[in-house]
Amino acid sequence: MPPIQSLLTPLLFMSLLSSTALTTMPDITRGSVHTTLGTTSITSAAKDSLVPLKWKAAANGMGMYDSKPPVSNGILYYSDINSTLYAKNIASGKMEWSYPQGGHPQIVTNNSVFFIDHKERLVKVSAATGKVIWKVKVADQLIEIGAQARLMNGTIYFANESGGVTAYDPVSGKRLWDNKEIPMYAGTIYGEYRGVLVVSSTVNNIRSQFYGLDPASGKKLWRIEGLYSYVNYENGQLLLREQTDYAAKSPSAPVPGYQLTLARLNPVTGKITARNNYNKIADISKIRNNFTIIQDSYVYSADMNPDTDRYTLTRFLRGADAEAATTSYEQYGSWLAGPAGGIAYFQQDNRITALNLADDSVTSYNVPAGKALHLQRVGKAVFTLYNNGYIAVHHYDTGALLGMIEAGSTYPSFGNITLHNGTALIPTEHHIIAVALPQQYQ
């Protein structure tokens, strides 16, 4: 994923990141209300119930932006602050090999690892030994942090923030084509849709631009500009959320409009084929969207009002008239995550609530107290990061507290947590933490 930039760009990025992480979680079923009782503070709870770490490794934080973990055949690949690339056995914690002055793994396959090194080269090494297979120069100048490589349909697409988009053969490293005219600042390579490679970037940290490229030649086929963020691909169309720029302008008077607008983009022509507006409201100038997801017949939107400093989750019926009633979950507190598998998570004071959207039953996690910054369910475990750097691990169904993980974070945050053969891998801004989960939490 591209790095977080400023203003509305992080909202677009977090929308994509959250959608990627949360939609991969399994379905959740829920019965009646469960509550874990207690009023213990987060500090004392941490002292009494620390979860033992399987291992912990220093990292440079780039893994926080991976939608999928760089794992293959039981080996995790990651880089540290000096850009040394490591291959670590997840089960044992043993270091299999290292590559000095390498880089964060961009692509991991069964046999190979691809990364961008400090000499502006795309490098392919053996996943088993770290031995170099090939290197190719991909930039003449210093590469920005936003450079990225993606393997799609047998081709590596490389994007450089000041160098456009280039295609390479993953077997030989041969350059197939190069289009330096495509600006990729804070950009994303989405993939091929109906024979068109779709990428996007920011225009001015507020507006975005989407491009359609010929995957065989790199030729630009179309461009569209606006306040768009990717939501989904369905029925041959890209589904984009279209927003206004009033949040950046901070108007003095209320601005009427729609809380949600979804636009359909034809990837072949680059034309918007339809727009659906939802929930006409008196003032849209203070809406800052964080997350949009489609589940079944509904669209869910998590939006922040800076006046209240909290996120509200709203549900819209797909295809409904703009005047149709919506469902707000504001009464459950500030939105944290979801819906995923029909469950959304909220915080109200010191309580975390898991709400089953089908029957409104809840599971409450009442311990520990503190402001939650991030939450993710993995397997049967719910990981909640608090503002002092501790991570609480609860059972998703009973609310039972397994214990606390001391992340040791200066600025608490974590990326996409994954479960590998019973081991939870937690990427933070300074470390990768491995925790063995009991069977009932897997």
Side-chain angles (χ1 to χ4, degrees), residues 323-342:
E323 306 293 336
T326 62
T327 301
S328 173
Y329 298 96
E330 186 174 8
Q331 69 270 29
Y332 293 97
S334 184
W335 169 86
L336 288 175

Side-chain angles (χ1 to χ4, degrees), residues 162-280:
S162 62
V165 182
T166 308
Y168 294 93
D169 184 302
V171 177
S172 65
K174 178 184 176 181
R175 185 172 63 184
L176 304 177
W177 53 257
D178 190 10
N179 188 334
K180 295 186 181 298
E181 303 302 317
I182 305 298
M184 288 298 292
Y185 177 66
T188 299
I189 303 171
Y190 289 102
E192 292 184 25
Y193 304 97
R194 295 173 61 185
V196 176
L197 175 65
V198 177
V199 304
S200 74
S201 62
T202 183
V203 176
N204 55 1
N205 277 336
I206 299 175
R207 297 178 68 80
S208 57
Q209 53 192 344
F210 282 73
Y211 290 89
L213 307 179
D214 178 0
S217 66
K219 178 183 177 181
K220 184 181 77 173
L221 303 176
W222 52 260
R223 173 186 178 274
I224 185 172
E225 178 182 331
L227 262 70
Y228 297 112
S229 57
Y230 176 89
V231 176
N232 200 5
Y233 175 73
E234 60 179 21
N235 300 323
Q237 302 279 302
L238 291 170
L239 199 59
L240 309 177
R241 176 159 184 159
E242 186 174 10
Q243 303 183 81
T244 70
D245 58 358
Y246 286 111
K249 294 179 179 179
S250 299
S252 56
V255 180
Y258 299 100
Q259 183 177 350
L260 171 69
T261 297
L262 293 180
R264 290 187 174 274
L265 174 67
N266 185 324
V268 177
T269 64
K271 303 293 185 182
I272 298 294
T273 59
R275 284 181 173 86
N276 293 104
N277 296 313
Y278 297 88
N279 195 24
K280 190 172 185 179

Side-chain angles (χ1 to χ4, degrees), residues 37-215:
L37 300 177
T39 56
T40 309
S41 72
I42 188 170
T43 303
S44 60
K47 291 179 181 178
D48 296 337
S49 57
L50 281 178
V51 177
L53 305 185
K54 193 169 185 177
W55 49 261
K56 183 177 181 179
N60 60 11
M62 293 302 295
M64 292 176 57
Y65 308 114
D66 291 329
S67 58
K68 292 177 59 179
V71 172
S72 179
N73 299 317
I75 304 298
L76 172 70
Y77 303 91
Y78 67 94
S79 56
D80 66 8
I81 194 171
N82 296 315
S83 294
T84 297
L85 175 65
Y86 294 98
K88 181 183 280 290
N89 187 293
I90 296 172
S92 67
K94 176 186 175 183
M95 196 66 64
E96 302 292 342
W97 54 262
S98 63
Y99 188 105
Q101 295 184 320
H104 180 69
Q106 297 280 323
I107 301 167
V108 175
T109 68
N110 287 333
N111 301 311
S112 308
V113 178
F114 300 79
F115 60 89
I116 303 165
D117 72 5
H118 69 294
K119 293 185 178 180
E120 288 70 55
R121 297 176 300 192
L122 180 63
V123 183
K124 177 182 181 180
V125 300
S126 165
T129 66
K131 181 179 179 180
V132 174
I133 299 173
W134 53 253
K135 301 177 182 179
V136 60
K137 190 79 169 179
V138 292
D140 297 326
Q141 300 177 346
L142 183 67
I143 291 179
E144 300 88 348
I145 194 172
Q148 59 191 288
R150 299 288 181 266
L151 178 61
M152 298 172 177
N153 295 334
T155 299
I156 292 178
Y157 296 107
F158 170 78
N160 188 8
E161 292 198 338
S162 62
V165 182
T166 308
Y168 294 93
D169 184 302
V171 177
S172 65
K174 178 184 176 181
R175 185 172 63 184
L176 304 177
W177 53 257
D178 190 10
N179 188 334
K180 295 186 181 298
E181 303 302 317
I182 305 298
M184 288 298 292
Y185 177 66
T188 299
I189 303 171
Y190 289 102
E192 292 184 25
Y193 304 97
R194 295 173 61 185
V196 176
L197 175 65
V198 177
V199 304
S200 74
S201 62
T202 183
V203 176
N204 55 1
N205 277 336
I206 299 175
R207 297 178 68 80
S208 57
Q209 53 192 344
F210 282 73
Y211 290 89
L213 307 179
D214 178 0

